[in-house]
Amino acid sequence: MEDITKHPILDIPERKSVSFSFDGRKLTGFEGMVISSALFLNKIKIFGHHVKDNSPQGIFCANGQCAQCNVIVNNIPVKACMTPLKEGMIIESCNGLPELPPEDKAVNVGDSEFIDTEVLIIGAGPAGLSAAKILGEQNINVIIIDDKAELGGKLVLQTHKFFGSQKDVYAGKRGIDIAKILGNSVRSLSNVRIWLDSVCLAVFSDGLVGILKENKKYALIKPKYLLIATGAREKMLLFPGNTLPGVYGAGAFQTLVNRDLIKASEKVFIVGGGNVGLIAGYHAIQAGIEVIGLIEALPQCGGYKVHEDKLRRLGVPILTSHTIISANGEKNVKSITIAQIDKELNTISGTEKTFACDTILIAVGLNPVNEFYQKAKEFGFKVWVAGDAQEIAEASAAIFTGRIEALKILKEMRISITEDIGKLEDFADLMKAKPPHPIEIDIKFKEEGVYPVFYCNQEIPCNPCTTVCEQEQIVTIDNIITQLPYFKGEKECIGCGKCVAVCPGLAVVLIDYRKDQDNPLVTFPFELTKEKLEKGQKVIVVSNDKDLNTYEIHRARTLKEFPKTQLVTIKMPSEFAKQATAIKLFETKYSKPIDLYQKSLTNDDTIVCRCERVSVGEIRKWIHSGVTDFNELKALTKVGMGACGGKTCTPLIERIFREEGISIDEITPGTKRPLFIEVPMGIFANAKNKKEEL
Ligand code: FES
């Protein structure tokens, strides 16, 4: 592994080196990194071994949710993915159960900070920031907290341009830039206090919220109004080898690559064809990582067709109606075995194939992080929920729902608002809707003039091409944001290329027949290298399903408003111009399947509860014996009793119940008790070692 030193979209900052040790080895990381990223930088993916079966442990979520990444720092187990690296840190792997410190030192107990505020927002991602902006602009006293070191939540991982509308959700801008825009506007509001590196530990029945402030001090906040914008956690999947280091969530991969600038893999395989998986594939390619393939269990990918097209054009094999059979390797992922499935989702015998890879990304959906919301409701807080914690959708929808929930809080405060919340909610529903099947479109080309061509054939909420056209000639049918765009042609296109540069799906090209009717100029967007492409350079022109031909670049430029999207113009025969959708620099190297002796796999090779290493076989055994109570399952197997508190395994166990013919209504749910996040007990007393205080 290595750090990323150039990237087509991300600016690479000068980073100060930080020395640390891991199990006695002297290593170097970079300032501002968390421990897990520093270990990955040093090619270390195994952070310890489990007490139950000595299985290797590494990261899964890189987001503080799964509790897999424990390491020992100063005798205390910490989550490697959430703990900032410090100069001289002595880090040890966590093998077996962490031990208590050898001597029990006396401590001094400190007071907790008590703070009243009008609004407390938990989570400074797209929804939380957008809400803080609305409330702060109304002079409401707000505290917004986030467990990360910077504002923006998942926005800081998103190098692609956003969908939606420019007016409402900054469509056409990249997530990383939206994080800055929203973050700066919230920072400029003096009545909004921002606490970073601050974790919400619990909501209490007396209306207080317990926070570990800035990773140091316990604070209790009494908010009049509470907004939960805690985002989502990644779903796990059941298959043999599912906890091997090297199997991790697509969000974890984006954190390593796009936030911490680690080239976390050489060859990655993606499981899941929703937007998260498709986007992670494109991000991998931008970071110089080979994407061996992507599989999707359904007959079509569930993500946006334009994201899928981007990957297909670059030659990534996308195999629908396929599933993962196993992740293979003793200590780390060495390969993946996949197979085709039928309509009933049964594996079709004989279709198994194995591909070498070092990383398998699980991108099979997200679950809302809503336990604080549920508890706060139960305890009678005045509480609202926004973003993914409310309903899983695109980050652009989260920006919008943050705004709506903030307006609802203002209404509750009897502050007059001019916006019609009902109308905004209707629009939010559009933004949150699952993408429909793509439509067959028959593009009409005329061999004269200059005009944009839209390879956009799915009714998704997106229209920045309509707002960016200075000639006001690009519209959607009936001006509805989910309808497909088209060029009206009432006024001439001036060939500015803004519609090509703004399109988040990279699905617009410009065809110019003005100088040569047989060999028009075609302009494509390009976002795959930092180096500026040059006139005369050879590139491969592709359609959405095949390579067409190699041509020399006629012209390459960037527009001031879109500095990271190169506009590359190529002259080509009209018959190719009518199919061409993109360019690429290299021919695709397709990976061939490898031979692998597959030992027979059983239900006991698949882990449900990562923390306590409970297998599918164990759970099924107790379900077969009549257990339908989660608490009983816990007592019998320890499932859900580990450090993560059942956050990762609960949806998987519900799925096993369903597979066994038992519906959710027939199951007695497990009791959920605060705390929802692990924390050293001394934090509650603001305990300090006496010696440290001297
Ligand atoms: S990888 Fe650190 S908590 Fe999940």
Side-chain angles (χ1 to χ4, degrees):
M1 256 143 277
E2 56 198 64
D3 57 322
I4 293 168
T5 51
K6 58 180 184 176
H7 191 281
I9 308 297
L10 295 165
D11 295 324
I12 310 295
E14 280 281 316
R15 297 197 281 181
K16 198 175 144 207
S17 291
V18 171
S19 304
F20 69 101
S21 74
F22 182 70
D23 285 345
R25 276 173 68 195
K26 290 207 180 330
L27 303 169
T28 307
F30 290 116
E31 194 174 55
M33 258 181 184
V34 290
I35 292 174
S36 53
S37 293
L39 292 175
F40 263 68
L41 182 68
N42 287 282
K43 304 191 172 121
I44 296 167
K45 283 187 181 177
I46 300 172
F47 298 177
H49 293 85
H50 199 277
V51 64
K52 185 170 173 183
D53 57 5
N54 205 34
S55 55
Q57 304 287 293
I59 65 163
F60 175 68
C61 73
N63 191 29
Q65 296 290 321
C66 74
Q68 290 306 286
C69 59
N70 273 349
V71 290
I72 311 289
V73 177
N74 295 338
N75 289 329
I76 300 212
V78 297
K79 288 178 189 170
C81 73
M82 297 296 287
T83 309
L85 181 70
K86 292 202 182 123
E87 179 64 39
M89 214 174 215
I90 298 169
I91 305 166
E92 289 162 89
S93 54
C94 186
N95 293 307
L97 287 176
E99 285 178 16
L100 286 170
E103 72 182 277
D104 194 11
K105 292 179 195 150
V107 293
N108 277 345
V109 171
D111 288 334
S112 300
E113 198 176 352
F114 275 88
I115 302 166
D116 287 307
T117 186
E118 281 182 284
V119 182
L120 170 64
I121 302 175
I122 302 177
L129 284 178
S130 161
K133 179 171 181 291
I134 299 277
L135 293 164
E137 284 168 352
Q138 293 292 330
N139 287 320
I140 308 295
N141 282 324
V142 176
I143 297 178
I144 180 166
I145 71 157
D146 197 277
D147 59 1
K148 307 289 184 314
E150 57 184 316
L151 294 173
K154 288 282 193 291
L155 289 174
V156 304
L157 314 180
Q158 311 298 1
T159 58
H160 58 280
K161 286 174 277 196
F162 270 39
F163 294 76
S165 72
Q166 284 191 324
K167 173 169 73 77
D168 297 304
V169 294
Y170 310 96
K173 290 203 181 301
R174 299 175 198 282
I176 46 173
D177 298 325
I178 299 172
K180 284 187 198 131
I181 295 168
L182 276 174
N184 288 341
S185 47
V186 170
R187 280 185 195 286
S188 71
L189 298 163
S190 58
N191 48 324
V192 179
R193 278 177 281 177
I194 299 168
W195 294 4
L196 293 173
D197 289 319
S198 298
V199 187
C200 178
L201 300 175
V203 291
F204 297 111
S205 56
D206 55 1
L208 291 169
V209 181
I211 314 278
L212 172 54
K213 184 182 175 187
E214 290 158 0
N215 268 332
K216 287 196 276 260
K217 200 168 161 38
Y218 186 55
L220 284 159
I221 299 183
K222 179 119 189 158
K224 285 194 188 131
Y225 307 90
L226 177 62
L227 176 64
I228 305 290
T230 36
R233 61 175 66 94
E234 298 190 77
K235 285 186 185 170
M236 249 270 282
L237 197 59
L238 295 173
F239 56 87
N242 58 348
T243 61
L244 265 180
V247 176
Y248 47 84
F253 177 78
Q254 288 170 319
T255 302
L256 286 162
V257 172
N258 291 347
R259 188 191 71 184
D260 292 348
L261 301 169
I262 311 285
K263 195 174 172 202
S265 164
E266 292 297 327
K267 290 171 187 277
V268 71
F269 203 104
I270 300 168
V271 179
N275 276 341
V276 173
L278 296 168
I279 291 169
Y282 198 70
H283 289 175
I285 293 168
Q286 286 182 317
I289 294 167
E290 194 179 342
V291 183
I292 305 298
L294 180 148
I295 52 170
E296 163 58 47
L298 296 173
Q300 296 90 22
C301 285
Y304 289 168
K305 178 70 166 45
V306 285
H307 283 318
E308 183 182 342
D309 288 341
K310 281 189 228 171
L311 284 189
R312 285 194 191 276
R313 292 192 300 241
L314 293 170
V316 173
I318 296 180
L319 305 167
T320 52
S321 298
H322 274 70
T323 192
I324 178 168
I325 298 296
S326 60
N328 315 306
E330 289 300 317
K331 292 183 179 163
N332 267 325
V333 168
K334 298 282 183 213
S335 64
I336 180 173
T337 302
I338 60 167
Q340 207 178 332
I341 48 179
D342 62 21
K343 283 193 190 128
E344 276 74 48
L345 305 181
N346 298 314
T347 306
I348 302 173
S349 174
T351 62
E352 296 86 353
K353 286 191 186 108
T354 298
F355 293 92
C357 61
D358 58 31
T359 300
I360 298 170
L361 301 189
I362 306 301
V364 292
L366 303 165
N367 284 319
V369 175
N370 60 6
E371 50 272 10
F372 292 110
Y373 176 65
Q374 304 292 3
K375 266 291 165 211
K377 243 184 14 179
E378 190 186 317
F379 289 153
F381 278 72
K382 288 190 174 179
V383 60
W384 286 260
V385 61
D388 277 352
Q390 177 195 80
E391 184 180 341
I392 302 298
E394 291 301 296
S396 41
I399 295 173
F400 207 68
T401 57
R403 177 173 153 202
I404 293 173
E405 299 310 304
L407 291 170
K408 286 185 188 168
I409 293 174
L410 290 175
K411 206 170 158 206
E412 178 78 15
M413 292 173 164
R414 300 186 188 285
I415 292 173
S416 91
I417 52 169
T418 51
E419 292 176 87
D420 179 340
I421 292 181
K423 269 196 186 150
L424 294 177
E425 285 185 320
D426 289 345
F427 188 70
D429 287 343
L430 268 185
M431 304 273 294
K432 289 190 277 189
K434 297 265 168 291
H437 284 314
I439 299 165
E440 283 289 319
I441 50 169
D442 182 17
I443 299 171
K444 303 267 180 278
F445 293 92
K446 44 179 188 115
E447 295 178 346
E448 60 183 25
V450 54
Y451 55 91
V453 178
F454 302 94
Y455 290 100
C456 169
N457 62 347
Q458 191 177 33
E459 293 174 349
I460 56 174
C462 184
N463 69 3
C465 55
T466 65
T467 29
V468 87
C469 178
E470 281 172 19
Q471 299 291 87
E472 297 180 349
Q473 291 305 297
I474 300 177
V475 287
T476 54
I477 299 164
D478 296 333
N479 275 332
I480 297 172
I481 190 171
T482 46
Q483 292 290 327
L484 302 183
Y486 67 97
F487 180 66
K488 278 201 291 188
E490 289 164 6
K491 268 162 90 180
E492 274 185 9
C493 167
I494 53 172
C496 67
K498 286 187 183 172
C499 53
V500 180
V502 79
C503 176
L506 305 184
V508 183
V509 302
L510 203 60
I511 300 196
D512 186 350
Y513 281 96
R514 288 176 296 184
K515 287 207 175 124
D516 187 336
Q517 282 200 316
D518 298 323
N519 296 285
L521 297 170
V522 187
T523 300
F524 306 94
F526 185 73
E527 299 189 333
L528 289 176
T529 56
K530 185 152 192 71
E531 290 77 24
K532 295 280 169 250
L533 301 190
E534 288 181 9
K535 183 177 166 73
Q537 187 174 341
K538 288 203 167 134
V539 293
I540 301 161
V541 173
V542 302
S543 73
N544 270 354
D545 49 21
K546 59 178 190 282
D547 292 3
L548 295 173
N549 218 336
T550 300
Y551 295 100
E552 282 184 6
I553 293 176
H554 176 83
R555 180 187 184 202
R557 63 188 167 129
T558 48
L559 304 177
K560 209 163 84 211
E561 308 94 299
F562 306 98
K564 303 283 170 68
T565 305
Q566 300 191 50
L567 296 183
V568 181
T569 303
I570 291 166
K571 192 170 191 171
M572 67 185 80
S574 186
E575 61 172 301
F576 289 125
K578 291 175 185 170
Q579 307 169 52
T581 55
I583 58 166
K584 62 181 182 181
L585 299 185
F586 312 105
E587 283 202 24
T588 307
K589 293 186 287 176
Y590 290 97
S591 290
K592 294 213 170 64
I594 56 169
D595 286 332
L596 176 85
Y597 167 70
Q598 183 67 276
K599 61 178 181 159
S600 60
L601 302 166
T602 70
N603 268 334
D604 290 324
D605 293 308
T606 300
I607 294 297
V608 178
C609 169
R610 305 173 68 105
C611 300
E612 295 294 338
R613 304 285 300 170
V614 182
S615 71
V616 175
E618 280 177 79
I619 301 292
R620 284 201 202 279
K621 184 182 84 185
W622 290 110
I623 294 175
H624 291 166
S625 72
V627 174
T628 54
D629 183 336
F630 250 92
N631 293 314
E632 204 180 337
L633 262 186
K634 266 179 165 180
L636 290 164
T637 65
K638 290 177 87 177
V639 75
M641 289 177 76
C644 92
K647 293 190 198 98
T648 317
C649 62
T650 303
L652 295 176
I653 296 169
E654 287 172 353
R655 184 175 154 183
I656 298 172
F657 271 112
R658 281 199 302 274
E659 284 172 6
E660 294 292 338
I662 299 166
S663 75
I664 295 287
D665 321 335
E666 296 171 74
I667 308 166
T668 309
T671 311
K672 288 205 172 106
R673 294 187 189 86
L675 309 168
F676 295 130
I677 300 283
E678 317 86 286
V679 64
M681 289 307 285
I683 289 293
F684 291 102
N686 279 319
K688 275 213 174 106
N689 188 306
K690 282 187 174 162
K691 266 194 198 154
E692 284 169 25
E693 286 198 337
L694 292 174

